[in-house]
Amino acid sequence: MKLIRPLAALALLIASAFPGLAADAVYPPGLRLGMVPLVGLNTAKTFPGFESEDGGVKVLITELPPAAYGEVVSAFNSNPAGANGVKQDKIETPAGLAYFTTESGKAGETPVRRYSMIVPGAGFSGYVAVQIPENATKIYTDEAVRQMFASTVTRKQVSAEEQIGLMPFKITDLAEFKDIRTLAPGSSIILADGDESTGYESKPFMILGLIGATPQAADDRARFAQEAALQIPGVRESRVTMSEPIRINGQQGFETRIDGVSGKDKVPVTVVQWIRFSSGGASLRIIASAPRDQWLPAFARFRAVRDGIQPKG
């Protein structure tokens, strides 16, 4: 289908279902969207959502930007009959009015039944993608999936402890940041003084996460760090003011600072990027931003968080 398929591509299309409903809604770790999984589905091990024991039936649950829900609603209203064999429908849920689609397709050579649903959330849009092999559709029926969708709920927030616990490293000093938000479960997290509703740019915030393979040679690392800093999303009119190798908790690292503007109000900001290189596996990348007139006290907090990041185990 055309209208929800871009969202499915954004979220990676995967899914689930089964006939009888369990008693309580389950929230995948770190997410504000949950539902009652159908009998036979358990928490997935490699993605946020649920799956059957053999991995054939899968449900992906994720969060999208708040505007995504309105875009899908507009697309439904402009073409209520659907197209190309895609059935459109909507259903009331505890989270609000959900819009979903049903269609048949293939996963490789395997015929599958696919469902895509979106619901409103406070500061986000909840998205669910379901994929069921054709040979399981007599058990995981359209009506069963509809019942599961009808159980969708949202929660206002996820505890900082739950979100931090998903990260592959320990964060031992939060430097008084109060708003903690998962960007990608188990991969990246934001610590901020602002929040989603007011925007992050006007106050100090940090993004902590892992990146894949990084250069080993010193010259290549310098070039890599500067190029990465100049491509930080949301920062415009960027200018590098400092870039040099440092040691971070005894490991080779690189610090790059840039001045630029951020947000719709073009707030003048200073941004620091730290990369703590790893000789094997993922490297730690920290991006910290503050309005220029708040930079000095914010930088001390940024360093406290950076220096308190420790390996697990």
Side-chain angles (χ1 to χ4, degrees):
M1 71 179 272
K2 302 271 184 182
L3 70 161
I4 250 185
R5 201 165 271 157
L7 296 177
L10 173 64
L12 301 177
L13 187 56
I14 28 188
S16 92
F18 219 138
L21 288 171
D24 299 311
V26 177
Y27 293 92
L31 294 181
R32 291 168 288 179
L33 184 71
M35 60 177 52
V36 179
L38 295 167
V39 173
L41 300 181
N42 299 303
T43 300
K45 297 178 180 179
T46 59
F47 61 88
F50 313 110
E51 63 184 344
S52 56
E53 186 175 353
D54 64 2
V57 177
K58 301 178 183 178
V59 179
L60 172 73
I61 300 177
T62 192
E63 296 178 10
L64 298 178
Y69 178 78
E71 293 170 1
V72 172
V73 172
S74 296
F76 264 69
N77 291 338
S78 65
N79 186 19
N84 300 322
V86 177
K87 179 184 176 182
Q88 298 180 178
D89 206 344
K90 53 189 175 182
I91 188 170
E92 287 288 350
T93 79
L97 183 61
Y99 290 77
F100 70 94
T101 62
T102 306
E103 62 182 312
S104 296
K106 281 193 172 183
E109 296 300 317
T110 304
V112 296
R113 194 77 164 154
R114 288 186 176 133
Y115 308 82
S116 298
M117 183 192 72
I118 195 164
V119 296
F124 71 100
S125 298
Y127 178 70
V128 183
V130 177
Q131 183 169 287
I132 301 172
E134 187 178 72
N135 60 12
T137 55
K138 290 185 179 179
I139 300 174
Y140 298 90
T141 64
D142 288 353
E143 182 55 30
V145 175
R146 184 182 178 90
Q147 289 180 41
M148 184 173 65
F149 284 169
S151 72
T152 302
V153 292
T154 60
R155 52 181 172 174
K156 290 184 178 180
Q157 60 185 11
V158 182
S159 71
E161 291 77 13
E162 180 179 334
Q163 295 182 77
I164 292 171
L166 295 173
M167 299 303 294
F169 45 76
K170 294 180 181 178
I171 305 173
T172 62
D173 191 338
L174 294 177
E176 298 185 352
F177 284 110
K178 297 297 190 295
D179 191 82
I180 314 296
R181 181 75 62 216
T182 295
L183 299 179
S187 178
S188 61
I189 195 168
I190 185 169
L191 317 179
D193 284 344
D195 56 42
E196 290 173 315
S197 61
T198 59
Y200 292 115
E201 299 86 358
S202 63
K203 297 180 180 179
F205 71 88
M206 303 181 72
I207 296 174
L208 318 177
L210 298 179
I211 54 176
T214 51
Q216 296 302 306
D219 289 347
D220 291 337
R221 284 177 170 176
R223 183 165 46 251
F224 176 86
Q226 289 194 37
E227 290 176 354
L230 290 172
Q231 295 173 15
I232 293 173
V235 183
R236 308 184 299 282
E237 301 175 23
S238 301
R239 177 177 62 89
V240 174
T241 60
M242 186 269 274
S243 191
E244 62 184 26
I246 61 171
R247 295 192 72 82
I248 303 174
N249 291 348
Q251 292 181 255
Q252 294 289 338
F254 217 93
E255 177 176 328
T256 306
R257 297 188 202 179
I258 61 175
D259 283 344
V261 297
S262 184
K264 62 181 181 180
D265 296 325
K266 300 187 71 172
V267 177
V269 295
T270 295
V271 181
V272 60
Q273 171 191 264
W274 287 298
I275 299 178
R276 189 176 72 190
F277 293 104
S278 172
S279 56
S283 296
L284 174 68
R285 185 188 188 197
I286 300 172
I287 298 169
S289 171
R292 221 161 289 160
D293 60 359
Q294 303 175 41
W295 171 251
L296 286 178
F299 184 67
R301 297 169 65 197
F302 297 159
R303 289 189 58 178
V305 174
R306 182 200 71 184
D307 295 341
I309 296 175
Q310 304 293 335
K312 280 188 172 179

